[in-house]
């Protein structure tokens, strides 16, 4: 059986625990939440930077592909001209 003295002690303990939670834990949780928000912003900025860099690299690859393709046709034409040229 529960001691009659234990009931007020538990009541006071619950009150102290609630005050402790309000004074210490709530600001700590808000701090952690703010830290996560800042970290997510930094991650989003990094992702945007990587996306921009990827776009620039893709554009450069397209230019290189066009150069290689155009030069490849020109080189093939020059080879054909050399084949058709009379030997002296």
């Amino acid at each position: 059986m529960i001691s009659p003295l234990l009931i007020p002690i538990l009541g006071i303990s619950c009150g102290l625990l609630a005050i402790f939670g309000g004074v210490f834990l709530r600001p700590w949780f808000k701090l952690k939440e703010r830290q996560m928000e800042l970290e997510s912003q930094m991650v989003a900025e990094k992702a945007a930077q990587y996306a921009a860099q990827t776009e620039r690299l893709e554009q450069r690859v397209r230019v290189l592909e066009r150069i290689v393709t155009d030069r490849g046709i020109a080189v093939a034409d020059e080879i054909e001209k050399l084949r058709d040229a009379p030997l002296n």
Side-chain angles (χ1 to χ4, degrees):
M1 186 131 164
I2 298 178
S3 170
L5 186 59
L6 192 58
I7 293 174
I9 291 173
L10 286 175
I12 292 171
S13 297
C14 288
L16 290 175
L17 185 61
I19 291 171
F20 177 79
V23 170
F24 295 107
L25 291 179
R26 188 180 316 162
W28 185 78
F29 280 125
K30 286 187 179 189
L31 173 67
K32 289 298 179 183
E33 181 180 356
R34 182 68 180 139
Q35 287 175 341
M36 288 191 310
E37 288 173 0
L38 292 174
E39 188 174 334
S40 69
Q41 288 175 355
M42 289 183 350
V43 168
E45 290 173 9
K46 279 281 193 193
Q49 290 173 355
Y50 287 141
Q53 183 177 0
T54 301
E55 178 61 30
R56 285 192 302 271
L57 290 173
E58 287 176 353
Q59 289 175 354
R60 291 180 73 178
V61 167
R62 280 189 220 109
V63 169
L64 290 173
E65 287 174 341
R66 191 171 59 243
I67 290 170
V68 167
T69 304
D70 291 347
R71 286 292 298 155
I73 292 172
V75 169
D77 289 343
E78 289 177 25
I79 291 171
E80 288 302 318
K81 286 179 187 175
L82 290 174
R83 284 185 184 160
D84 294 340
L87 296 173
N88 291 332

